[in-house]
Amino acid sequence: MKPANANAGITRSAPRTDAELVASIAAGDISGLGALFDRHGADVRRLLARLGMPESDLDDLVQETFLDLVDAAARFRTDATVKPWLFGLAAMIARRHRRFVARLLVRVQRWAQEPPPARVATPEEHVVRSAEAKRAWNALGRLSVKKREAFVLVTLEGMSGDEAAHALQVPVATIWTRLHHARIELRGALAEET
């Protein structure tokens, strides 16, 4: 039989609340990010699915939501509840994703459109042009999200480096680095397929 006070010397700290975790993240300690993800990741995923995000994008969008949480944590009101605030971040991510995809599709459609030919293209020429557009689309799809964002905003959307940096909330040097690497990867991917 154990003495009544056998566990008296053991102290267990209570799990930190969501608000405490967000406050610690705002202070620079991101160790609580995993706990918040464990508590709310499935809810955020469900919300994004209900908002119509494609199944293939859900994991990336959930991750992006929690990464945005790190930057947004300083703006969290301590008297608010974390889950609705986190859902607000996820909704912004979904809107941003929709805008990105819409702009990307418009740009890709422009790539795929042929200028009016002076003569009727042969079936072989049509196949070659369609294949080139498909290769460009596939190469763009293989870029990481960050590199693709920089490439799309600056090269395809015509934004300046400063505008893209402001839109993505990163330093201008980061935009140029991502753009540089995106161009190298795109050239390599397009060269592989020829």
Side-chain angles (χ1 to χ4, degrees), residues 114-130:
E114 301 175 30
R119 61 178 177 76
V120 175
T122 66
E124 181 183 356
E125 290 170 333
H126 181 69
V127 168
V128 168
R129 286 187 191 129
S130 294

Side-chain angles (χ1 to χ4, degrees), residues 55-174:
E55 177 71 27
S56 59
D57 294 341
L58 287 177
D59 290 337
D60 290 337
L61 295 173
V62 170
Q63 180 180 356
E64 192 175 341
T65 300
F66 281 90
L67 291 175
D68 269 17
L69 182 151
V70 174
D71 291 330
R75 295 186 304 274
F76 177 70
R77 287 188 357 252
T78 55
D79 63 330
T81 306
V82 170
K83 188 174 175 180
W85 175 74
L86 191 56
F87 277 10
L89 291 177
M92 285 189 299
I93 295 295
R95 285 191 302 272
R96 197 180 319 160
H97 182 70
R98 278 193 195 98
R99 286 191 304 266
F100 170 75
V101 169
R103 286 190 306 261
L104 183 61
L105 287 175
V106 166
R107 191 57 81 170
V108 169
Q109 287 171 346
R110 286 184 197 152
W111 284 350
Q113 290 177 347
E114 301 175 30
R119 61 178 177 76
V120 175
T122 66
E124 181 183 356
E125 290 170 333
H126 181 69
V127 168
V128 168
R129 286 187 191 129
S130 294
E132 288 172 352
K134 185 176 180 181
R135 281 198 335 263
W137 174 253
N138 288 338
L140 188 63
R142 287 194 299 258
L143 290 177
S144 71
V145 171
K146 291 180 179 182
K147 291 174 190 170
R148 186 169 46 232
E149 287 173 347
F151 182 82
V152 168
L153 291 177
V154 175
T155 304
L156 303 182
E157 294 298 326
M159 285 185 162
S160 70
D162 288 333
E163 291 170 330
H166 180 71
L168 298 176
Q169 298 179 350
V170 296
V172 173
T174 302

